[in-house]
Amino acid sequence: GHVVHNWKVRWFVLLQDKLLYYKLEGGKKEPSPKGRILLDGCTITCPCLEYENRPLLIKLKTKTNTDYFLECCSREERDSWALDITGAIHAGHPVQVQELHRMKNSFKLLANISLHHIVDKMHDSSTGIKLTPNMEQGNRYKETFSGSALVDWLISNSFAVSRFEAVTLASMLMEENFIKPVGARSIEATRYSDLSEQFLDDSTALYMFAESYKKKISSKEDLQFNISELSGTIVKQGYLVKQGHKRKNWKVRRFVLRADPAFLHYYDPTKEENRPVGGFSLRGCLVSALEDNGVPTGVKGNVQGNLFKIITKNDIHYYIQASSKAERAQWIEAIKPLT
């Protein structure tokens, strides 16, 4: 409410240019709307974390600077309303609406992402993620946060633009031992090898900071690369998921494709130094897409879809997963001329 800041149930109807809300009497909406929110010039914030005990909020600010706080019944409903309201706000701009729907399941993390920076922000006493005590199967955990709370926090702090992207980012934080699962629900999920299934965007899945979140720089970072192989022109770069050579686990890496000389390097996004953790010459390499039906030979874990393989002239096999068939095709097309 605007005068008395209490919360009331209202029936909402979304039209092309406005949001109407009605009072409910006896379980039925009254014939005339109680009020309306004009969407022209509105800005929307979702998730809105201004109320600590209300994680399912959408905030609408009109062009006359009036704030509306709307609470939904579930995360799914909140995100569905937010998507449709945003579509109505941009209805006169079909390109923006198409971009909005594309972003809903996007996989385009920031190029200069630093997990150390994200974790430091998460620890901030005023703007960081809220920690709460929880009981799980008789065990008491002092400072935990839910999977959905972390996803909301990552989006509201502009580290991700969609829940899909935030889950990928949270999976990276867990994979690199910045956070860890606690309790049966979240620990069970880590049995999956597929990166997209390890972290749960769920209010019942609990996580906490790992004690070693400020890991010391490991000795493997001392790998030296010839300056000449890093001097080529950057042809393409982006985030892909790569299978490790020893443990056969899957980790997100930032790949950089260079020409003249032709090299493919990959970087650990958890490290602040802009130094590759691996790379190889593309001269004499073979690159090919892998079948999407089932787990291909050589691939460990429950990882399927959008995979491709690079075999170096020394017969070293690299298994890599893109976020979509289109992205896989783009990488293969960019690599082939350089082999």
Side-chain angles (χ1 to χ4, degrees), residues 56 169 195 217 296 319:
L56 302 177
L169 198 49
L195 185 80
I217 295 173
Y319 294 96

Side-chain angles (χ1 to χ4, degrees), residues 27-290:
K28 295 182 179 180
K29 74 179 179 73
E30 293 187 343
S32 300
K34 173 74 174 172
R36 64 179 185 172
I37 305 170
L38 296 177
L39 297 177
D40 180 42
C42 261
T43 57
I44 184 169
T45 304
C46 179
C48 171
L49 304 183
E50 290 188 31
Y51 289 85
E52 186 178 331
N53 61 339
R54 293 183 180 274
L56 302 177
L57 286 186
I58 296 170
K59 178 183 177 180
L60 287 175
K61 181 185 282 289
T62 68
K63 66 179 179 181
T64 57
N65 288 325
T66 303
D67 290 342
Y68 290 89
F69 293 93
L70 315 177
E71 184 173 40
C72 300
C73 299
S74 66
R75 292 194 322 281
E76 293 76 17
E77 189 177 70
R78 178 196 66 187
D79 295 341
S80 176
W81 271 100
L83 190 70
D84 290 337
I85 291 170
T86 308
I89 291 172
H90 297 305
H93 309 278
V95 174
Q96 286 181 276
V97 177
Q98 287 177 359
E99 179 69 7
L100 175 75
H101 284 272
R102 188 195 65 76
M103 283 169 56
K104 188 182 177 186
N105 290 307
S106 71
F107 187 90
K108 190 178 181 182
L109 298 174
L110 298 171
N112 59 347
I113 197 167
S114 163
L115 295 191
H116 285 280
H117 175 63
I118 292 174
V119 175
D120 286 342
K121 287 284 189 184
M122 287 173 67
H123 275 83
D124 189 283
S125 57
S126 58
T127 60
I129 192 162
K130 305 300 179 188
L131 303 175
T132 57
N134 270 289
M135 290 287 292
E136 171 85 21
Q137 294 187 327
N139 295 318
R140 182 173 177 80
Y141 302 102
K142 275 188 177 181
E143 297 182 324
T144 65
F145 47 87
S146 70
S148 57
L150 178 54
V151 168
D152 282 352
W153 185 89
L154 289 168
I155 295 172
S156 67
N157 283 272
S158 303
F159 290 116
V161 298
S162 68
R163 302 195 79 78
F164 180 82
E165 191 171 299
V167 167
T168 303
L169 198 49
S171 298
M172 291 164 62
L173 290 169
M174 190 168 64
E175 177 71 21
E176 298 300 332
N177 203 32
F178 288 103
I179 63 174
K180 65 180 182 180
V182 291
R185 182 105 168 81
S186 53
I187 289 174
E188 175 72 20
T190 60
R191 295 180 181 177
Y192 293 102
S193 297
D194 188 352
L195 185 80
S196 64
E197 296 176 317
Q198 289 183 354
F199 182 87
L200 297 177
D201 179 7
D202 193 300
S203 59
T204 64
L206 300 178
Y207 300 87
M208 65 189 301
F209 288 114
E211 292 168 6
S212 58
Y213 85 93
K214 290 205 174 197
K215 293 192 298 183
K216 301 297 181 187
I217 295 173
S218 62
S219 58
K220 72 177 182 180
E221 277 194 272
D222 293 332
L223 284 168
Q224 295 298 313
F225 289 89
N226 190 313
I227 293 175
S228 65
E229 69 184 67
L230 296 172
S231 64
T233 303
I234 293 178
V235 175
K236 185 175 177 60
Q237 59 181 318
Y239 287 89
L240 298 166
V241 187
K242 172 186 165 294
Q243 179 175 273
H245 288 295
K246 293 180 180 178
R247 291 179 55 201
K248 305 298 181 186
N249 56 345
W250 291 81
K251 292 186 177 182
V252 173
R253 293 290 181 252
R254 180 169 65 87
F255 280 79
V256 177
L257 177 63
R258 293 181 172 91
D260 301 319
F263 274 84
L264 184 62
H265 292 98
Y266 47 95
Y267 298 73
D268 185 342
T270 69
K271 312 301 179 190
E272 297 191 18
E273 299 82 6
N274 194 28
R275 183 186 301 177
V277 294
F280 51 92
S281 169
L282 290 173
R283 186 67 61 86
C285 282
L286 297 174
V287 57
S288 60
L290 298 178

